[in-house]
Amino acid sequence: MSSTAWLLSAGFGVLMLLGVPFAFGIGIVVAVSLVVSGIEPMLMPQSMVAGTQSFSLLAIPFFMLAGELMTAGGLSARLVKVADVFVRHLTGGLGHVTVVAATVFAAISGSAPATTAAIGAIMIPAMAARGYDKGFATALAVSAGILAPLIPPSIAFVIWGVIAEQSISRLFSAGIVPGLIMALGLSAVCWIYARRNKIPVQSRASFVEIRQALRDGIWALLAPAIVLGGIYGGVFTPTEAAVVSCVYAILVGMFIEKRLKIADIGPIVWRSLKITSIVMAIIMFSTGFGILVAQEQLAPKLAAWLTANIQEKWLMLLVLNIAFFLLAAVMDEIAIMVVLGPLLIAIANSFQIDPIHFGTIIVTNVAIGMAAPPIGYCLFVGMAISGLKLSDVASKIWPFVGIMLVVLMLVTYVPGFSLAFQ
């Protein structure tokens, strides 16, 4: 291999082992490789900036902002109340409330961390007060939060759609069935846990309680209907839907719920910008990394080697899933998509895998990576809410990760799950 190829592979690996933050590590590798390869100095910065200029990527900051605004405006609490009156009387009732509320909130925010924070802040203390182990409650909130990359609208699908040049609306619809199956699986774990630990069953909600919860929560329930209805009805694009979500959240939070003040908007926007800046920095540096990888022909060479040594499609998909799971344990999930995107697309093309089906496989892997120890992003959100250590949460999350892996296998080997609404 050339010196540039060694820098991109071994050099990058060494920086990760040394604990250099991902965005900085990939930026250092790109900068050094640029000098070594002799590329015109201005070409790379221009290309890196251009990689962040896609109109579709504007959905990321707006969906993140929408999630923050809806939490501050009280809509997440309304969703929890609606879910509570319908499923609290079941065995593992509060666990089911967490899953249902997260599923609906995911259809508004598109962000796993935002969903974990919004629902976890309410449900982790509530479950602990009702006799659930706090580590289990935190693990459930983290696991329910990662429904957001699958349930449309999804930031992860937006990023993959840009990378793979696929229809974002079609990718959104591909995540519906896998997301709902995963939600059912998480609820099954809650039911088993409650049975084994003899968690008391709550009383069934009365008709008056249900009516009141629906009346109070109507504006929260309308949010996903407006967003998804607008996208699939052709009224607006996914990016425009993200802006509509923000406007809706501000109007409802300020004038209907009256919990959101003008003074609150500045800090909320700032929090969203900080998260967005990290995501966009990773995308920018990863774009430069991808340009150098393309120049060295690393992706086609590796794809050719894999296809020459692995003949069966099912085995190739299994290898990719295992590799993705291991990488997601130590790397940022968005960075994996951007950096490995050309390689993954080349492999999918060589095995003639439907691009929408393949995109669902990739995003399901991304979702699992956000919850899997040791560095799943949502894990740290859950730890911040509960005050627990990583070991306390990680020890309880494996049954949920097991369900996620079962869903991943179904998505991988039963294309109908992701292509049902195509």
Side-chain angles (χ1 to χ4, degrees), residues 91-92 130-133 136 189-201 396:
T91 301
R130 289 280 183 171
Y132 289 82
D133 178 85
F136 178 86
V189 174
C190 294
W191 185 86
I192 294 170
Y193 174 88
R195 285 288 298 270
R196 286 181 176 176
N197 292 275
K198 296 180 172 55
I199 302 295
V201 177
K396 304 293 184 180

Side-chain angles (χ1 to χ4, degrees), residues 113 142 275 278-279 332-333 369-372 375-382:
V142 170
I275 299 172
I278 296 171
V279 174
D332 182 90
E333 293 74 25
M370 290 185 180
I375 66 164
Y377 190 8
C378 291
L379 272 176
F380 292 97
V381 175

Side-chain angles (χ1 to χ4, degrees), residues 91-114:
T91 301
L94 282 186
H96 303 315
V97 172
T98 303
V99 174
V100 173
T103 302
V104 179
F105 193 83
I108 305 172
S109 73
S111 165

Side-chain angles (χ1 to χ4, degrees), residues 74-135:
L75 293 185
S76 58
R78 297 296 191 192
L79 289 176
V80 169
K81 183 61 179 177
V82 172
D84 181 70
V85 297
F86 282 105
V87 298
R88 74 185 186 197
H89 60 281
L90 303 175
T91 301
L94 282 186
H96 303 315
V97 172
T98 303
V99 174
V100 173
T103 302
V104 179
F105 193 83
I108 305 172
S109 73
S111 165
T115 302
T116 300
I119 304 304
I122 299 169
M123 295 307 304
I124 291 174
M127 292 181 70
R130 289 280 183 171
Y132 289 82
D133 178 85
K134 197 171 186 180

Side-chain angles (χ1 to χ4, degrees), residues 110 112 146-161 163-164 171-172 174-176 178-179 182 321 324 328 333 337 344 355-370 404 407-408 411-412:
I146 64 93
L147 293 171
L150 290 169
I151 302 292
S154 157
I155 290 174
F157 274 131
V158 170
I159 294 173
W160 183 255
I163 294 169
L171 287 168
F172 279 177
I176 295 173
M182 191 175 290
N321 282 331
F324 217 114
E333 293 74 25
M337 286 198 293
L344 296 170
I356 300 299
H357 174 216
F358 190 70
T360 312
I361 296 172
I362 297 301
V363 170
T364 304
N365 272 295
V366 165
I368 296 171
M370 290 185 180
M404 297 172 199
V407 174
L408 174 62
V411 169
T412 300

Side-chain angles (χ1 to χ4, degrees), residues 30-47:
V30 168
V32 176
S33 298
L34 180 62
V35 174
V36 171
S37 62
I39 295 177
E40 166 60 39
M42 287 307 298
L43 175 62
M44 187 61 70
Q46 290 171 353
S47 300

Side-chain angles (χ1 to χ4, degrees), residues 108-304:
I108 305 172
S109 73
S111 165
T115 302
T116 300
I119 304 304
I122 299 169
M123 295 307 304
I124 291 174
M127 292 181 70
R130 289 280 183 171
Y132 289 82
D133 178 85
K134 197 171 186 180
F136 178 86
T138 305
L140 174 59
V142 170
S143 302
I146 64 93
L147 293 171
L150 290 169
I151 302 292
S154 157
I155 290 174
F157 274 131
V158 170
I159 294 173
W160 183 255
V162 172
I163 294 169
E165 298 181 348
Q166 296 296 320
S167 166
I168 293 174
S169 295
R170 290 188 65 200
L171 287 168
F172 279 177
S173 64
I176 295 173
V177 174
L180 294 178
I181 293 174
M182 191 175 290
L184 289 173
L186 299 181
S187 287
V189 174
C190 294
W191 185 86
I192 294 170
Y193 174 88
R195 285 288 298 270
R196 286 181 176 176
N197 292 275
K198 296 180 172 55
I199 302 295
V201 177
Q202 294 179 263
S203 61
R204 184 187 292 269
S206 66
F207 175 75
V208 173
E209 286 181 287
I210 294 173
R211 184 179 61 186
Q212 184 64 43
L214 288 174
R215 184 165 60 190
D216 292 342
I218 185 64
W219 294 104
L221 294 171
L222 279 175
I226 291 171
V227 172
L228 298 179
I231 292 172
Y232 293 114
V235 179
F236 36 69
T237 67
T239 302
E240 292 164 345
V243 179
V244 170
S245 296
C246 292
V247 174
Y248 183 86
I250 291 172
L251 294 176
V252 172
M254 292 182 67
F255 301 111
I256 296 176
E257 295 290 342
K258 297 181 179 179
R259 297 188 186 185
L260 188 64
K261 309 299 181 185
I262 292 178
D264 299 330
I265 294 179
I268 290 172
V269 171
W270 179 243
R271 287 198 301 271
S272 301
L273 283 175
K274 287 195 292 185
I275 299 172
T276 301
S277 65
I278 296 171
V279 174
M280 298 309 290
I282 291 172
I283 292 174
M284 182 180 71
F285 288 128
S286 298
T287 300
F289 191 95
I291 292 170
L292 292 168
V293 167
Q295 176 184 279
E296 295 295 315
Q297 294 290 298
L298 295 181
K301 289 175 183 176
L302 184 53

